[in-house]
Amino acid sequence: MNRSLADWLVLVPGAVLLMYLVYAQAIPAFDYELGVRMGTQESAQQITRVGAAFWYGFAFADLVIYIPLLLAGLYGYWRGSGWCLPVIGAALGITAYWPIVVLAAAVDARGVPGWQIAEAPYWVVLLPVFLWALWSLWQVTSDGRNDGVSETV
């Protein structure tokens, strides 16, 4: 099956994001403090206990919903399966949604006692993730495709 550059630009970053999510979110969903020690999560001393609960909620939701959905969608997209369009679309919708939630929370929490994060790294990582998700969502649903894979080289 021939794949276009656009297909690879959906698949490769998607696979990298999936691997990152398994490391940075799935592990902390089982042990948040291990995630803090690994450097993938913020401690309650940096973001308050409520902030840590919020971040843990994302880790847990990623473990039970987002990671399996992204894995299934990318696999289906790779295989060119017709069933994958709604699955990859749902995963990419989540991928576009969560960076906006996190960035909005980080901005709104500026100056809150106990909230002490360096905001710039969040912008550096999450803005490109958001833009990639929007572009990928457009890509996988454009050109009247219903199998998730383009027919061009």
Side-chain angles (χ1 to χ4, degrees), residues 133-144:
L134 286 183
W135 178 85
S136 294
L137 188 56
W138 173 79
Q139 180 60 37
V140 301
T141 59
S142 67
D143 301 328

mmCIF file with all atom_site columns, all heavy atoms in Angstrom, residues 133-144:
data_model
loop_
_atom_site.group_PDB
_atom_site.id
_atom_site.type_symbol
_atom_site.label_atom_id
_atom_site.label_alt_id
_atom_site.label_comp_id
_atom_site.label_asym_id
_atom_site.label_entity_id
_atom_site.label_seq_id
_atom_site.pdbx_PDB_ins_code
_atom_site.Cartn_x
_atom_site.Cartn_y
_atom_site.Cartn_z
_atom_site.occupancy
_atom_site.B_iso_or_equiv
_atom_site.pdbx_formal_charge
_atom_site.auth_seq_id
_atom_site.auth_comp_id
_atom_site.auth_asym_id
_atom_site.auth_atom_id
_atom_site.pdbx_PDB_model_num
ATOM 1  N N   . ALA A 1 133 ? -2.533  17.830 15.863 1.00 0.00 ? 133 ALA A N   1
ATOM 2  C CA  . ALA A 1 133 ? -3.803  17.111 15.993 1.00 0.00 ? 133 ALA A CA  1
ATOM 3  C C   . ALA A 1 133 ? -4.855  17.690 15.055 1.00 0.00 ? 133 ALA A C   1
ATOM 4  O O   . ALA A 1 133 ? -5.568  16.946 14.377 1.00 0.00 ? 133 ALA A O   1
ATOM 5  C CB  . ALA A 1 133 ? -4.293  17.139 17.431 1.00 0.00 ? 133 ALA A CB  1
ATOM 6  N N   . LEU A 1 134 ? -4.949  19.016 14.997 1.00 0.00 ? 134 LEU A N   1
ATOM 7  C CA  . LEU A 1 134 ? -5.925  19.641 14.092 1.00 0.00 ? 134 LEU A CA  1
ATOM 8  C C   . LEU A 1 134 ? -5.606  19.321 12.639 1.00 0.00 ? 134 LEU A C   1
ATOM 9  O O   . LEU A 1 134 ? -6.503  18.957 11.861 1.00 0.00 ? 134 LEU A O   1
ATOM 10 C CB  . LEU A 1 134 ? -5.951  21.152 14.287 1.00 0.00 ? 134 LEU A CB  1
ATOM 11 C CG  . LEU A 1 134 ? -6.625  21.675 15.531 1.00 0.00 ? 134 LEU A CG  1
ATOM 12 C CD1 . LEU A 1 134 ? -6.615  23.197 15.533 1.00 0.00 ? 134 LEU A CD1 1
ATOM 13 C CD2 . LEU A 1 134 ? -8.045  21.156 15.649 1.00 0.00 ? 134 LEU A CD2 1
ATOM 14 N N   . TRP A 1 135 ? -4.338  19.452 12.278 1.00 0.00 ? 135 TRP A N   1
ATOM 15 C CA  . TRP A 1 135 ? -3.946  19.151 10.895 1.00 0.00 ? 135 TRP A CA  1
ATOM 16 C C   . TRP A 1 135 ? -4.206  17.678 10.573 1.00 0.00 ? 135 TRP A C   1
ATOM 17 O O   . TRP A 1 135 ? -4.750  17.349 9.514  1.00 0.00 ? 135 TRP A O   1
ATOM 18 C CB  . TRP A 1 135 ? -2.462  19.486 10.661 1.00 0.00 ? 135 TRP A CB  1
ATOM 19 C CG  . TRP A 1 135 ? -2.043  19.149 9.275  1.00 0.00 ? 135 TRP A CG  1
ATOM 20 C CD1 . TRP A 1 135 ? -2.175  19.925 8.172  1.00 0.00 ? 135 TRP A CD1 1
ATOM 21 C CD2 . TRP A 1 135 ? -1.481  17.912 8.840  1.00 0.00 ? 135 TRP A CD2 1
ATOM 22 N NE1 . TRP A 1 135 ? -1.718  19.241 7.071  1.00 0.00 ? 135 TRP A NE1 1
ATOM 23 C CE2 . TRP A 1 135 ? -1.290  18.005 7.454  1.00 0.00 ? 135 TRP A CE2 1
ATOM 24 C CE3 . TRP A 1 135 ? -1.125  16.725 9.490  1.00 0.00 ? 135 TRP A CE3 1
ATOM 25 C CZ2 . TRP A 1 135 ? -0.745  16.965 6.710  1.00 0.00 ? 135 TRP A CZ2 1
ATOM 26 C CZ3 . TRP A 1 135 ? -0.584  15.695 8.748  1.00 0.00 ? 135 TRP A CZ3 1
ATOM 27 C CH2 . TRP A 1 135 ? -0.406  15.825 7.373  1.00 0.00 ? 135 TRP A CH2 1
ATOM 28 N N   . SER A 1 136 ? -3.841  16.786 11.474 1.00 0.00 ? 136 SER A N   1
ATOM 29 C CA  . SER A 1 136 ? -4.044  15.352 11.243 1.00 0.00 ? 136 SER A CA  1
ATOM 30 C C   . SER A 1 136 ? -5.518  15.007 11.145 1.00 0.00 ? 136 SER A C   1
ATOM 31 O O   . SER A 1 136 ? -5.918  14.187 10.313 1.00 0.00 ? 136 SER A O   1
ATOM 32 C CB  . SER A 1 136 ? -3.385  14.532 12.358 1.00 0.00 ? 136 SER A CB  1
ATOM 33 O OG  . SER A 1 136 ? -1.992  14.672 12.320 1.00 0.00 ? 136 SER A OG  1
ATOM 34 N N   . LEU A 1 137 ? -6.331  15.624 11.992 1.00 0.00 ? 137 LEU A N   1
ATOM 35 C CA  . LEU A 1 137 ? -7.777  15.392 11.924 1.00 0.00 ? 137 LEU A CA  1
ATOM 36 C C   . LEU A 1 137 ? -8.316  15.823 10.568 1.00 0.00 ? 137 LEU A C   1
ATOM 37 O O   . LEU A 1 137 ? -9.103  15.098 9.945  1.00 0.00 ? 137 LEU A O   1
ATOM 38 C CB  . LEU A 1 137 ? -8.477  16.136 13.053 1.00 0.00 ? 137 LEU A CB  1
ATOM 39 C CG  . LEU A 1 137 ? -9.956  15.860 13.263 1.00 0.00 ? 137 LEU A CG  1
ATOM 40 C CD1 . LEU A 1 137 ? -10.213 14.379 13.469 1.00 0.00 ? 137 LEU A CD1 1
ATOM 41 C CD2 . LEU A 1 137 ? -10.450 16.647 14.461 1.00 0.00 ? 137 LEU A CD2 1
ATOM 42 N N   . TRP A 1 138 ? -7.880  16.979 10.104 1.00 0.00 ? 138 TRP A N   1
ATOM 43 C CA  . TRP A 1 138 ? -8.288  17.430 8.770  1.00 0.00 ? 138 TRP A CA  1
ATOM 44 C C   . TRP A 1 138 ? -7.778  16.444 7.714  1.00 0.00 ? 138 TRP A C   1
ATOM 45 O O   . TRP A 1 138 ? -8.516  16.074 6.794  1.00 0.00 ? 138 TRP A O   1
ATOM 46 C CB  . TRP A 1 138 ? -7.745  18.843 8.505  1.00 0.00 ? 138 TRP A CB  1
ATOM 47 C CG  . TRP A 1 138 ? -7.995  19.289 7.107  1.00 0.00 ? 138 TRP A CG  1
ATOM 48 C CD1 . TRP A 1 138 ? -9.154  19.777 6.590  1.00 0.00 ? 138 TRP A CD1 1
ATOM 49 C CD2 . TRP A 1 138 ? -7.061  19.256 6.024  1.00 0.00 ? 138 TRP A CD2 1
ATOM 50 N NE1 . TRP A 1 138 ? -8.999  20.055 5.253  1.00 0.00 ? 138 TRP A NE1 1
ATOM 51 C CE2 . TRP A 1 138 ? -7.716  19.741 4.888  1.00 0.00 ? 138 TRP A CE2 1
ATOM 52 C CE3 . TRP A 1 138 ? -5.740  18.851 5.931  1.00 0.00 ? 138 TRP A CE3 1
ATOM 53 C CZ2 . TRP A 1 138 ? -7.089  19.833 3.657  1.00 0.00 ? 138 TRP A CZ2 1
ATOM 54 C CZ3 . TRP A 1 138 ? -5.107  18.951 4.706  1.00 0.00 ? 138 TRP A CZ3 1
ATOM 55 C CH2 . TRP A 1 138 ? -5.792  19.440 3.593  1.00 0.00 ? 138 TRP A CH2 1
ATOM 56 N N   . GLN A 1 139 ? -6.537  16.004 7.844  1.00 0.00 ? 139 GLN A N   1
ATOM 57 C CA  . GLN A 1 139 ? -5.929  15.114 6.858  1.00 0.00 ? 139 GLN A CA  1
ATOM 58 C C   . GLN A 1 139 ? -6.670  13.790 6.736  1.00 0.00 ? 139 GLN A C   1
ATOM 59 O O   . GLN A 1 139 ? -6.942  13.322 5.639  1.00 0.00 ? 139 GLN A O   1
ATOM 60 C CB  . GLN A 1 139 ? -4.457  14.858 7.221  1.00 0.00 ? 139 GLN A CB  1
ATOM 61 C CG  . GLN A 1 139 ? -3.726  13.940 6.274  1.00 0.00 ? 139 GLN A CG  1
ATOM 62 C CD  . GLN A 1 139 ? -3.689  14.450 4.848  1.00 0.00 ? 139 GLN A CD  1
ATOM 63 O OE1 . GLN A 1 139 ? -3.568  15.644 4.616  1.00 0.00 ? 139 GLN A OE1 1
ATOM 64 N NE2 . GLN A 1 139 ? -3.803  13.558 3.903  1.00 0.00 ? 139 GLN A NE2 1
ATOM 65 N N   . VAL A 1 140 ? -6.975  13.174 7.863  1.00 0.00 ? 140 VAL A N   1
ATOM 66 C CA  . VAL A 1 140 ? -7.586  11.844 7.796  1.00 0.00 ? 140 VAL A CA  1
ATOM 67 C C   . VAL A 1 140 ? -9.041  11.896 7.362  1.00 0.00 ? 140 VAL A C   1
ATOM 68 O O   . VAL A 1 140 ? -9.599  10.872 6.972  1.00 0.00 ? 140 VAL A O   1
ATOM 69 C CB  . VAL A 1 140 ? -7.454  11.048 9.120  1.00 0.00 ? 140 VAL A CB  1
ATOM 70 C CG1 . VAL A 1 140 ? -6.001  10.863 9.491  1.00 0.00 ? 140 VAL A CG1 1
ATOM 71 C CG2 . VAL A 1 140 ? -8.245  11.674 10.241 1.00 0.00 ? 140 VAL A CG2 1
ATOM 72 N N   . THR A 1 141 ? -9.655  13.079 7.419  1.00 0.00 ? 141 THR A N   1
ATOM 73 C CA  . THR A 1 141 ? -11.060 13.177 7.008  1.00 0.00 ? 141 THR A CA  1
ATOM 74 C C   . THR A 1 141 ? -11.249 13.897 5.685  1.00 0.00 ? 141 THR A C   1
ATOM 75 O O   . THR A 1 141 ? -12.376 14.034 5.220  1.00 0.00 ? 141 THR A O   1
ATOM 76 C CB  . THR A 1 141 ? -11.885 13.901 8.087  1.00 0.00 ? 141 THR A CB  1
ATOM 77 O OG1 . THR A 1 141 ? -11.347 15.207 8.293  1.00 0.00 ? 141 THR A OG1 1
ATOM 78 C CG2 . THR A 1 141 ? -11.889 13.113 9.383  1.00 0.00 ? 141 THR A CG2 1
ATOM 79 N N   . SER A 1 142 ? -10.170 14.353 5.069  1.00 0.00 ? 142 SER A N   1
ATOM 80 C CA  . SER A 1 142 ? -10.301 15.124 3.830  1.00 0.00 ? 142 SER A CA  1
ATOM 81 C C   . SER A 1 142 ? -10.285 14.237 2.593  1.00 0.00 ? 142 SER A C   1
ATOM 82 O O   . SER A 1 142 ? -10.052 13.041 2.676  1.00 0.00 ? 142 SER A O   1
ATOM 83 C CB  . SER A 1 142 ? -9.179  16.157 3.748  1.00 0.00 ? 142 SER A CB  1
ATOM 84 O OG  . SER A 1 142 ? -7.939  15.507 3.589  1.00 0.00 ? 142 SER A OG  1
ATOM 85 N N   . ASP A 1 143 ? -10.519 14.850 1.475  1.00 0.00 ? 143 ASP A N   1
ATOM 86 C CA  . ASP A 1 143 ? -10.451 14.199 0.162  1.00 0.00 ? 143 ASP A CA  1
ATOM 87 C C   . ASP A 1 143 ? -11.439 13.054 -0.002 1.00 0.00 ? 143 ASP A C   1
ATOM 88 O O   . ASP A 1 143 ? -11.225 12.157 -0.802 1.00 0.00 ? 143 ASP A O   1
ATOM 89 C CB  . ASP A 1 143 ? -9.038  13.683 -0.128 1.00 0.00 ? 143 ASP A CB  1
ATOM 90 C CG  . ASP A 1 143 ? -8.006  14.797 -0.110 1.00 0.00 ? 143 ASP A CG  1
ATOM 91 O OD1 . ASP A 1 143 ? -8.373  15.937 -0.485 1.00 0.00 ? 143 ASP A OD1 1
ATOM 92 O OD2 . ASP A 1 143 ? -6.862  14.544 0.281  1.00 0.00 ? 143 ASP A OD2 1
ATOM 93 N N   . GLY A 1 144 ? -12.485 13.060 0.793  1.00 0.00 ? 144 GLY A N   1
ATOM 94 C CA  . GLY A 1 144 ? -13.508 12.023 0.645  1.00 0.00 ? 144 GLY A CA  1
ATOM 95 C C   . GLY A 1 144 ? -13.036 10.640 1.032  1.00 0.00 ? 144 GLY A C   1
ATOM 96 O O   . GLY A 1 144 ? -13.674 9.647  0.731  1.00 0.00 ? 144 GLY A O   1
#
